[in-house]
Structure formats: structure tokens, C-alpha cells
Amino acid sequence: MSLVELIARADERGLAAGGLACLDRCLPLLGGDDEALRPLWASLADGSGWAGDLARARDLLGAGRPPGDEAALLVHRMLESAPAERTADALRPWADACSAASLRVHRLLDPAAGAGPDAGDTAGPSPLVAAELRRQALVLELLADHGAQGLRRALEVTVEGRRVLRAVVSRRARNTAEAGARAGL
């Protein structure tokens, strides 16, 4: 099943987890604590409302602060547009937008992505983007197949993706710093 079909068929918990997982994997761009979104995951597990936890996460992660680049702006938009009301009708457009934004973030950060489908190449997405597509689909499949019991594994998949993106962001910052140092010589 395609990612679009998985989002279309997801229930409220699956949509919330799908959007939250995309946001969580992109957390390194906000420079936030890895645990900043953990209360939102907990609210999904116990079925409680998440409006208060969402407001705290926005405060903690500096929602409204001007981002440094397009990728960070996309992540800020994911956080800022998260609906306080956790219903399928409110979550479906957010989960869909988070999916697209997360894929865009991965394309922007992946130096190999310039040769991908956006550039007219039919070889398929770069490895970083392909891995993000797989993670998004897996999170939705876990929730569809296992309900609340799939949340733990979905969080594990998300943490793995966050580690990968953190390494990419770190490498990008190093390369930028090195290029700046060379230019200053």
C-alpha cells in the first residue's frame, strides 16, 4: 500500500502518530531536546488529550522563533500547525502535510537528492529520502496492524530516524564551518 493510501486509511491514533513521528524525526533541526515530544507520545499511548503537552512542546522548542533555513522552517510549520483537537478530521491534513514536509526536509539535507526525481532523474529517491519513506509507511502500518501496542515500535523507528537526521545535520554544519574557515584563509 502506498504512503498516500496508508494516510487515507489511518485512524485518529495512526494519523497523530504519523504526524508526530515525522516531526520527531526532524527534531534535530529545531535544536531541541530529544525528549521534548515524549509527553505527546505518552498521550497517544494512554488516550489522553494532548493540547497541553502540545503547547508545552511549542514553548520548549521555540515555536514562532524565526528558523535559520528552509528545512528548519518546514519543521517549525509542522509543530505550529499541529491541531490541539485530536480527531481524524483535524489530524488527517496535518499528518499529510507533515509527511510531505518531512520528505522535503530529507531532500534538502541529502546532497545526493539533487539527482533524484525532482531533477528529472527516474532512478528514484536518494537513500536518505527512501529511508524516510520507509519509516513513514512503517509507522502507519504498525498503528494500523497493532493499534496502541504498535506505538512502542513506532517510537523506536522514529528515534532511529532522528539519529540518522542528527548525523546528517551535524555533517552539514561541519562542512559549512570548514567551508567558512577555508574562505577566511
Side-chain angles (χ1 to χ4, degrees):
M1 196 177 311
S2 76
L3 187 56
V4 171
E5 291 170 322
L6 288 168
I7 292 171
R9 292 184 180 191
D11 65 6
E12 171 248 309
R13 182 177 277 133
L15 293 166
L20 182 57
C22 288
L23 175 59
D24 202 340
R25 282 190 298 276
C26 294
L27 201 57
L29 288 164
L30 298 183
D33 178 6
D34 285 353
E35 299 298 312
L37 300 177
R38 189 62 66 125
L40 293 168
W41 285 101
S43 74
L44 288 180
D46 66 21
S48 63
W50 75 350
D53 292 326
L54 180 59
R56 282 186 288 283
R58 285 178 175 145
D59 287 342
L60 185 64
L61 295 170
R65 182 178 59 211
D69 60 14
E70 182 183 353
L73 176 63
L74 289 166
V75 180
H76 273 280
R77 285 183 185 155
M78 281 192 260
L79 178 60
E80 291 172 357
S81 65
E85 183 183 355
R86 212 173 66 205
T87 64
D89 287 341
L91 290 165
R92 193 168 315 282
W94 178 68
D96 190 47
C98 286
S99 172
S102 182
L103 290 168
R104 177 74 180 143
V105 165
H106 283 75
R107 278 187 200 101
L108 289 169
L109 296 177
D110 189 345
D118 288 346
D121 186 359
T122 59
S126 69
L128 186 66
V129 174
E132 174 60 11
L133 278 167
R134 285 190 303 274
R135 285 186 189 97
Q136 287 188 26
L138 182 55
V139 165
L140 292 167
E141 289 166 353
L142 286 165
L143 274 288
D145 294 345
H146 304 288
Q149 292 75 30
L151 281 169
R152 179 173 298 220
R153 180 69 180 116
L155 183 56
E156 291 170 1
V157 168
T158 297
V159 168
E160 171 195 346
R162 185 180 341 116
R163 285 184 191 131
V164 169
L165 199 64
R166 185 173 311 286
V168 170
V169 168
S170 177
R171 182 174 47 240
R172 181 182 185 209
R174 264 192 324 271
N175 290 345
T176 301
E178 288 171 5
R182 281 192 302 269
L185 292 176

